[in-house]
Amino acid sequence: MNNEQVIAYIKENNIQKIKFAFADTDGVLRGKIISQKKLLDGLHTGYGFCDVVFGWDSSDTCYDNVNLTGWHTGYPDKLCYIDLSTFRTIPWQDDIPFFIADFTGPNGNTVPADPRSLLRKIQKQCSEMGYHAEFAQEFEWFNFLETPQTLQQKDFADLEPLTPGMFGYSVLRTSQNSGFYYDLFNLLTKFNIPVEGLHTETGPGVYEAAIEHCEVLEAADKATLFKTAVKEIASLNGITATFMAKWNENLPGCSGHIHQSLWNRDLSENLFYSGNDANKMSEVHKQYLAGQLFCMPHLLPMYAPTINSYKRLVEGAWAPTTITWGIDNRTTALRVINTAPQYTRLETRIPGSDTNPYLAMAAALASGLYGIKNKLELDIKPTTGNGYQNKSSGQLASNLFDAATAMQQSAIAKELFGNDFVEHFTQTRLWEHRQYAKSVSDWELKRYFEII
């Protein structure tokens, strides 16, 4: 439906409550329910939100190191605006209408910290270059027979997985939980997040889903909504779903790989494909890939934003550690898939399931476009075999502090995203590191409590 049809639908059906939300820096959805009158009154003037939503972390603890907002500003309201094109209804909540919002106003003014507004800016640059960016994200996550209450009572220890054992691609395990399994597939589709594949991954209670590809902003919307939707559907089935990158040191981590390609405006030609190249890669594809390789160490926190992200990025864990690429190689940071013209694409394998999709996709697209704009040569050879052993082009930072510090000091990051965003975002990541650094872990207690 177009905007007028959406408004007519709300009025004609006398819908008196509407839900909307936006993603904060960590990709957490923040929102509320409003009345029909409130919706209609604010479509052009916006809806006020205390700007603490960009001034606190995922635990609602206020940052002490950001300039955008804080006690020094008095935490005023900032205006967010509903995007009517994101209209859908929530099938597991009596089909209540739902919208996504962001902080870009009609005059183009925005809040520098707003992830969706940042991606909109990169999307516009892509369009102005004559390209249509087609993206999709896939997610792995663990499921547990727990509730928010039992998680607290157990102190997040000795949790019961949905199913035991390592059962990747198991038909048996999904049949044993067919109610939850089919709820996911069916309800996500009704929520306009069509899933093209859903299966178990290796590990107790692990699922993986691939979302259908679409234009980059819509793809990020769907990826962001996917995570919360899965959690809500899981809860209805007595299950808790986690999108931590690595919840257990002895089990595989959870990926959030991003698939992408550039097309012409009418989607009649995949501009990443060339039948004349040995690897079926066009010059545009090579430049795009070169841009991602070049920018990768400058933007790593946008792909790996949490302390926990780096517990997944270790050798032999199906996640990259080196600045590498290869043809259908799952040990490299970037994987080229070239099975057919319409399916030729690049897979960025650094992101885990804990990413903010808006920021991860903005990083991927902006760095790829950087390579095209600057006609970067793909001078790094494709890796054949074990990408963990190919350290000739450098390694990824092994922790959030080093990654955030590198981004904060990077002229490339500031060129791509502006000083205000880079400073705010990296300060939030450095805050995250400081919270971790002062905590006392179970590992420390077990190792030192008695013996030292």
Side-chain angles (χ1 to χ4, degrees):
M1 292 191 287
N2 61 34
N3 291 355
E4 291 74 20
Q5 290 171 323
V6 169
I7 294 170
Y9 173 87
I10 299 291
K11 291 179 177 178
E12 290 168 6
N13 288 277
N14 195 28
I15 295 171
Q16 293 301 319
K17 63 176 185 282
I18 296 96
K19 197 172 187 178
F20 78 97
F22 55 87
D24 70 7
T25 304
D26 289 289
V28 176
L29 286 178
R30 310 280 185 174
K32 61 176 71 172
I33 287 178
I34 57 175
S35 66
Q36 180 190 119
K37 184 178 185 303
K38 180 75 171 179
L39 170 75
L40 299 176
D41 288 348
L43 285 177
H44 300 293
T45 58
Y47 310 87
F49 260 89
C50 174
D51 71 1
V52 74
V53 293
F54 293 117
W56 61 20
D57 63 17
S58 58
S59 297
D60 291 6
T61 302
C62 294
Y63 299 124
D64 63 7
N65 60 338
V66 297
N67 293 323
L68 178 69
T69 187
W71 301 113
H72 62 287
T73 69
Y75 291 112
D77 273 359
K78 290 288 192 301
L79 293 174
C80 71
Y81 299 84
I82 283 175
D83 184 344
L84 289 176
S85 72
T86 65
F87 168 72
R88 65 227 318 128
T89 60
I90 306 176
W92 59 93
Q93 293 182 14
D94 298 324
D95 285 319
I96 181 175
F98 179 88
F99 298 93
I100 295 173
D102 62 37
F103 287 77
T104 296
N107 57 4
N109 290 342
T110 188
V111 175
D114 179 30
R116 190 172 191 265
S117 294
L118 184 74
L119 180 56
R120 285 178 65 168
K121 183 176 75 171
I122 306 303
Q123 173 202 34
K124 182 180 178 183
Q125 294 172 5
C126 181
S127 180
E128 289 171 348
M129 292 173 67
Y131 303 124
H132 170 101
E134 196 77 358
F135 272 61
Q137 192 161 11
E138 56 181 301
F139 289 104
E140 299 168 349
W141 74 96
F142 278 78
N143 299 287
F144 296 91
L145 294 172
E146 304 288 350
T147 68
Q149 290 74 26
T150 62
L151 290 174
Q152 295 291 333
Q153 291 163 5
K154 293 183 175 184
D155 201 22
F156 295 89
D158 299 320
L159 305 181
E160 183 179 357
L162 176 62
T163 54
M166 311 295 271
F167 278 75
Y169 298 103
S170 171
V171 173
L172 174 64
R173 284 293 188 244
T174 53
S175 295
Q176 290 169 337
N177 292 279
S178 59
F180 175 49
Y181 187 59
Y182 295 132
D183 267 358
L184 286 171
F185 195 91
N186 295 333
L187 293 175
L188 287 167
T189 299
K190 290 180 181 179
F191 193 46
N192 192 25
I193 307 177
V195 173
E196 64 178 23
L198 176 65
H199 60 88
T200 61
E201 253 295 353
T202 185
V206 190
Y207 281 10
E208 178 177 359
I211 304 170
E212 286 187 8
H213 60 84
C214 54
E215 190 276 331
V216 61
L217 184 62
E218 184 181 0
D221 287 341
K222 289 179 178 178
T224 303
L225 293 179
F226 175 89
K227 294 169 70 172
T228 296
V230 165
K231 292 175 184 178
E232 292 185 5
I233 295 168
S235 181
L236 294 175
N237 285 268
I239 295 165
T240 292
T242 179
F243 286 83
M244 282 185 68
K246 183 91 167 177
W247 88 272
N248 185 300
E249 64 180 292
N250 299 313
L251 294 171
C254 292
S255 70
H257 302 152
I258 295 173
H259 295 252
Q260 65 232 255
S261 56
L262 296 182
W263 293 67
N264 61 355
R265 291 188 186 279
D266 65 3
L267 294 177
S268 62
E269 181 184 4
N270 183 350
L271 302 178
F272 273 12
Y273 176 81
S274 172
N276 300 320
D277 182 76
N279 291 322
K280 308 301 181 185
M281 296 171 64
S282 69
E283 193 61 28
V284 165
H285 192 175
K286 293 175 183 178
Q287 292 172 351
Y288 186 98
L289 194 156
Q292 282 207 12
L293 289 169
F294 178 76
C295 296
M296 198 177 292
H298 300 270
L299 309 178
L300 186 56
M302 297 176 75
Y303 296 127
T306 72
I307 293 292
N308 187 248
S309 301
Y310 298 82
K311 306 294 177 70
R312 169 181 163 267
L313 298 175
V314 295
E315 291 190 9
W318 298 95
T321 59
T322 55
I323 301 174
T324 48
W325 73 280
I327 304 297
D328 200 13
N329 189 332
R330 286 182 168 85
T331 68
T332 56
L334 302 176
R335 172 185 172 226
V336 171
I337 302 165
N338 59 0
T339 53
Q342 67 270 33
Y343 299 130
T344 297
R345 63 193 186 274
L346 181 66
E347 179 188 37
T348 303
R349 294 181 57 81
I350 302 169
S353 58
D354 60 344
T355 52
N356 180 333
Y358 294 112
L359 297 184
M361 291 190 194
L365 181 57
S367 56
L369 295 178
Y370 179 89
I372 296 172
K373 291 174 186 175
N374 292 280
K375 295 182 169 53
L376 296 186
E377 293 287 335
L378 184 55
D379 51 11
I380 297 177
K381 294 181 179 180
T383 298
T384 57
N386 190 342
Y388 298 115
Q389 296 178 352
N390 182 4
K391 300 172 183 176
S392 59
S393 298
Q395 294 180 264
L396 300 175
S398 62
N399 60 78
L400 182 59
F401 176 81
D402 289 345
T405 300
M407 183 175 177
Q408 185 181 48
Q409 298 171 353
S410 169
I412 296 296
K414 293 170 186 175
E415 177 183 346
L416 294 179
F417 303 117
N419 292 343
D420 290 342
F421 168 78
V422 172
E423 180 61 20
H424 181 84
F425 178 66
T426 56
Q427 287 289 11
T428 69
R429 298 310 93 190
L430 292 171
W431 160 274
E432 196 77 6
H433 165 75
R434 292 204 307 278
Q435 305 317 296
Y436 170 72
K438 69 182 184 182
S439 68
V440 178
S441 67
D442 288 345
W443 182 89
E444 293 168 280
L445 290 172
K446 292 173 183 177
R447 192 170 185 89
Y448 302 129
F449 190 93
E450 183 180 8
I451 196 67
I452 292 298

